[in-house]
């Protein structure tokens, strides 16, 4: 009887250990990049569960918390999930989930395939790797391969590329949706801030959306006013290089772009092309 009991315990232990190993070895790839997270994905009832913010960031969805409810939005898709509930809502339509979201290690875990496919991504599983391919950004019918960002320091500059589809789309939309009124070109502007000239602007960043052959499809530049206390001059200007047109721009939009680039870097979607800063 003791041998039978010991055998049952050993079987249960092996099953649990195998399940933990399976979850620990699981990788999530989005557009070819392995997603890093301080909380690992899990397998629950044969479903891959992931922290909601990690997956939403890399698919380009915004996250909003309210009590035990989380809302994900991207373009014209709105998803509402509730803790410990198998009922989700997609654009007002009730959807029954195979497994309910739950909290673990202060993270809300959600079903990966449901989230990815709801946002029209392709999902495949093979050899302990879940591969997600997002929809690429197209500009004038041409597919964008990367967004190239250049900025300068006191001595030297950095050129880097963001390769994630969701990040490129989000950054491009910020530019297009936050163009203010058209304005004339400032009299003085350059990479280097000239503090001796009133009303001069310095270029804080150059952003180029590249096609598959690394040709420029669309290019923007953001300029900040050197003397920000001069009320007669706008604080921030956007130059649409492709259109050869200047626009008013907002500090909030500029910060949103920087935040997306930083998040892309943190999640492995950014690579340095050149760095001459000394």
């Amino acid at each position: 009887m003791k041998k039978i009991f010991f055998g049952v315990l050993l079987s249960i232990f092996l099953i649990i250990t195998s399940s933990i190993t399976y979850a620990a070895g699981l990788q999530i790839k989005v557009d070819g990049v392995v997603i890093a997270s301080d909380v690992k994905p899990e397998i629950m009832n044969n479903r891959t569960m992931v922290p909601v913010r990690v997956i939403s960031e890399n698919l380009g969805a915004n996250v909003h918390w309210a009590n035990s409810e989380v809302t994900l939005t991207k373009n014209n898709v709105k998803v509402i999930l509730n803790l410990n509930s198998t009922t989700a809502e997609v654009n007002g339509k009730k959807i029954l989930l195979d497994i309910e979201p739950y909290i673990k290690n202060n993270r809300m875990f959600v079903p990966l395939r449901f989230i990815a496919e709801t946002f029209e991504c392709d999902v495949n599983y093979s050899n302990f790797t879940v591969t997600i391919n997002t929809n690429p950004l197209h500009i004038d019918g041409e597919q964008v391969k990367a967004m190239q960002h250049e900025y300068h320091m006191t001595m030297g500059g950095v050129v880097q590329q963001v390769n994630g589809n969701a990040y490129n789309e989000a950054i491009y939309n910020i530019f297009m949706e936050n163009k203010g009124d058209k304005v004339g070109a400032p009299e003085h502007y350059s990479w280097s801030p000239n503090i001796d000239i009133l009303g001069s602007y310095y270029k804080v960043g150059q952003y180029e959306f590249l096609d598959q052959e690394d040709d420029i499809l669309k290019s923007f530049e953001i300029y900040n006013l050197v003397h920000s206390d001069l009320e007669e001059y706008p604080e921030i200007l956007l130059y649409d290089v492709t259109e050869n047109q200047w626009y008013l721009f907002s500090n909030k939009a500029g910060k949103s772009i920087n935040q997306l680039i930083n998040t892309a870097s943190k999640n492995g979607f950014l690579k340095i092309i050149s760095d001459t800063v000394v």
Side-chain angles (χ1 to χ4, degrees):
M1 182 69 181
K2 290 183 179 179
K3 290 183 178 179
I4 294 175
F5 180 70
F6 177 77
V8 171
L9 288 178
L10 179 61
S11 298
I12 293 173
F13 174 77
L14 290 174
I15 290 172
I16 293 174
T17 304
S18 174
S19 175
I20 293 173
T21 303
Y22 176 84
L26 184 67
Q27 282 189 335
I28 310 295
K29 278 188 176 182
V30 177
D31 295 336
V33 175
V34 177
I35 302 305
S37 173
D38 58 342
V39 179
K40 299 296 183 182
E42 297 185 345
I43 302 297
M44 183 71 68
N45 297 340
N46 293 321
R47 294 291 181 267
T48 303
M49 306 295 290
V50 292
V52 63
R53 187 167 297 279
V54 172
I55 190 61
S56 63
E57 281 183 352
N58 294 294
L59 298 185
N62 296 314
V63 183
H64 176 70
W65 277 92
N67 299 320
S68 61
E69 179 181 277
V70 62
T71 302
L72 310 179
T73 55
K74 179 183 178 182
N75 298 332
N76 60 345
V77 179
K78 179 180 180 180
V79 180
I80 299 176
L81 299 163
N82 287 278
L83 280 174
N84 306 316
S85 173
T86 55
T87 301
E89 188 176 303
V90 179
N91 288 346
K93 181 180 179 181
K94 301 293 184 181
I95 303 292
L96 186 63
L97 302 175
D98 294 330
I99 184 170
E100 61 192 29
Y102 58 88
I103 292 288
K104 184 175 181 180
N105 297 329
N106 294 319
R107 301 289 194 278
M108 181 179 183
F109 280 75
V110 294
L112 172 62
R113 181 175 290 274
F114 167 75
I115 298 298
E117 291 185 343
T118 298
F119 289 117
E120 300 181 342
C121 301
D122 293 327
V123 183
N124 294 285
Y125 172 78
S126 178
N127 298 325
F128 301 105
T129 299
V130 179
T131 301
I132 303 173
N133 294 315
T134 64
N135 294 320
L137 170 66
H138 288 81
I139 298 177
D140 296 331
E142 295 291 333
Q143 181 174 324
V144 172
K145 183 181 76 172
M147 190 282 292
Q148 184 160 290
H149 172 223
E150 180 178 357
Y151 64 92
H152 288 191
M153 306 292 283
T154 303
M155 296 184 66
V158 175
V159 178
Q160 55 193 15
Q161 286 186 358
V162 175
N163 297 285
N165 292 329
Y167 293 102
N168 291 335
E169 180 183 21
I171 292 170
Y172 180 76
N173 287 341
I174 290 175
F175 279 119
M176 299 303 292
E177 294 171 3
N178 289 275
K179 288 181 178 180
D181 294 335
K182 292 182 179 180
V183 295
E187 186 176 356
H188 303 284
Y189 58 94
S190 69
W191 275 113
S192 302
N194 191 332
I195 61 175
D196 297 324
I197 300 178
L198 296 179
S200 66
Y201 288 81
Y202 72 97
K203 182 162 59 173
V204 296
Q206 182 171 295
Y207 310 81
E208 298 172 338
F209 293 85
L210 308 178
D211 65 12
Q212 301 302 305
E213 285 72 41
D214 290 331
D215 293 326
I216 298 173
L217 293 171
K218 192 75 172 176
S219 180
F220 299 98
E221 297 174 355
I222 295 178
Y223 289 82
N224 280 5
L225 180 64
V226 175
H227 297 276
S228 58
D229 58 336
L230 301 178
E231 295 183 359
E232 64 267 33
Y233 295 100
E235 183 178 353
I236 300 178
L237 294 176
L238 173 68
Y239 178 45
D240 187 325
V241 181
T242 315
E243 293 182 1
N244 188 27
Q245 178 61 57
W246 291 79
Y247 295 89
L248 297 179
F249 205 55
S250 72
N251 186 47
K252 181 179 179 180
K255 287 183 176 180
S256 296
I257 291 171
N258 289 335
Q259 183 177 356
L260 282 167
I261 293 174
N262 291 336
T263 303
S265 177
K266 178 190 70 175
N267 291 330
F269 288 91
L270 184 144
K271 66 178 181 179
I272 303 296
I273 304 302
S274 69
D275 185 347
T276 60
V277 176
V278 294

